[in-house]
Amino acid sequence: MKLTILGGGGFRVPLVYEAAATGATGLTIDEIVLQDVDPSRLRTIERVVEELGAELRAQGRTVGPLPRLIVTTDLREAVVGADFVFSAVRVGGAEGRTVDERVALDLGLLGQETVGAGGLAYALRTLPVALEIARTLAEVAPRAWTITFTNPAGIVTEAMRSVLGDRVVGICDTPIGLVRRVSRLIGEDVDAPDALDRIGIDYVGLNHLGWLRGLSVDGEDRLPGILADDAALEQIEEARLVGFDWVRAMRALPNEYLYYYLFTQQARERILEAGTTRGEFLVEQQGRFYGQAAEKSEACCDGPLAAWRATLHEREATYMAESREADEERRPEDVAGGGYQEVALRLMTAIASGRTERMILDVGNAPAGSSTAAADPSGRIVPQLPDDLVLEVPCLVDGDGVHPQAVGPVPLEQLGLMAQQRGAERCILEAATVGDPVRARRAAWEGFSTHPLVRSVDLGGKLVDAYARRQPAVGRLLGY
């Protein structure tokens, strides 16, 4: 079994390697290829992974031999013969993220990398790269399954599906993390062998914009009891983020990123009060890590693995810091969790072994063939939305692929927000692919102006101009 990780010099890649090397899901991976366009970062992560592999072997935590490790900057070389391709590229790096955030903040808007203006700017420079990756895979690895964690994951998955179809799936760890927290509160394990028969999940949305509307056990919806119990809601990070009264009014628990839609101004003010955006924090933090790791010799007492772990802990503890009070630390139970690497490995294992898994994934609204379990005669999971729109919904995964499951009716307020969000993102997709700078600028202007966290023709135009002038890739695309 060959796994290729695109963005292999990325900071969180060792988490994927550890999950694979320890056989956390029972899948044996013989070869892992790390591919990245930055050879220095790639070499640093290679050293971390090599040290991690030696430690796992010494601790007896590996299942069989360690996966053979290969590093390369060549995309085609990396994906040839791959069974699975995990795409986690960050076009423009953390430095590009800081521009995404600061341009929005300077115009009085929210600066956040995956939602709002920042997310659209990120998409505008990422979509051409994601499509080039998809075309390369279609040519040299057409039977590979592609798992994408590249943000903004919803529209990136949608674009790659236009080339690769159902063999590309988007993943995120936030929805299943929410479901697991709720299931533990009622004494259930959503991952238990009998859970498929006993536990029902009603979750629907887009990536970073979704709602858990029901969790049934043996046919009884247990979510209303959770919503009515302050002590239970206190244990759910998402409920604390948006308020107990609000989740009761909505009769649903939100994906944590809905905080930015519900408390937009508060989030912006907290980011400004901090004086440093998340992107700027990561540029400094990860720049320090990569720099120190490159300088230290292999004989150094600490080594790159220890430095990586210390940096990882700080990164996870400060995640979404603007959603908490200045003196409020993130709770250990909220930091802990399977993570996106566990989601990716579970997905791979189910497809490779045929063992059925239930997961929440980013998939097409009306997947090809018989892979949808949607109850609507149209074959769509959400009948009001287009066939090719990518949703985030519960799915069954087995040796035959990914099978999206039916969800309950989507109320107008949820449907409207989803449609407006993806409508804006689709304008950005048009801008990234139309090939004519004049039409691209017009599409980008429409996308920025109509996004639910912008909603201004004037600000939309200013965003297009600012991003085009400060992001070279965007400027070239729009003819600046």
Side-chain angles (χ1 to χ4, degrees), residues 149-210:
F149 190 71
T150 296
N151 279 317
I155 192 62
V156 168
T157 303
E158 197 165 303
M160 295 183 76
R161 280 177 56 85
S162 69
V163 179
L164 298 171
D166 286 351
R167 294 185 82 85
V168 59
V169 182
I171 67 167
C172 186
D173 53 344
T174 57
I176 193 60
L178 170 59
V179 170
R180 284 171 174 165
R181 283 191 288 278
V182 175
S183 65
R184 284 197 297 267
L185 285 173
I186 58 176
E188 298 288 345
D189 179 2
V190 75
D191 299 314
D194 66 342
L196 290 177
D197 299 322
R198 299 184 57 246
I199 300 177
I201 301 170
D202 183 9
Y203 182 98
V204 69
L206 309 179
N207 180 248
H208 289 182
L209 197 165

Side-chain angles (χ1 to χ4, degrees), residues 325-350:
E325 297 295 338
D327 59 350
E328 181 184 359
E329 294 186 0
R330 198 173 182 208
R331 299 183 183 183
E333 64 269 24
D334 296 330
V335 177
Y340 78 99
Q341 72 279 359
E342 185 257 1
V343 177
L345 264 292
R346 283 179 60 209
L347 175 59
M348 291 165 52
T349 302

Side-chain angles (χ1 to χ4, degrees), residues 316 417 461:
E316 296 301 321
L417 185 55

Side-chain angles (χ1 to χ4, degrees), residues 389-455:
L389 186 141
V390 164
L391 297 169
E392 196 162 79
V393 293
C395 302
L396 296 182
V397 186
D398 57 25
D400 294 323
V402 178
H403 315 284
Q405 301 297 283
V407 299
V410 181
L412 198 58
E413 65 272 15
Q414 295 176 359
L415 185 65
L417 185 55
M418 291 164 61
Q420 190 177 12
Q421 170 79 20
R422 187 49 49 82
E425 290 178 331
R426 282 194 165 193
C427 289
I428 296 300
L429 176 57
E430 179 185 355
T433 57
V434 70
D436 174 3
V438 174
R439 293 171 61 191
R441 287 195 298 272
R442 185 166 61 241
W445 182 23
E446 182 180 356
F448 280 108
S449 300
T450 59
H451 190 281
L453 294 181
V454 179
R455 292 184 292 188

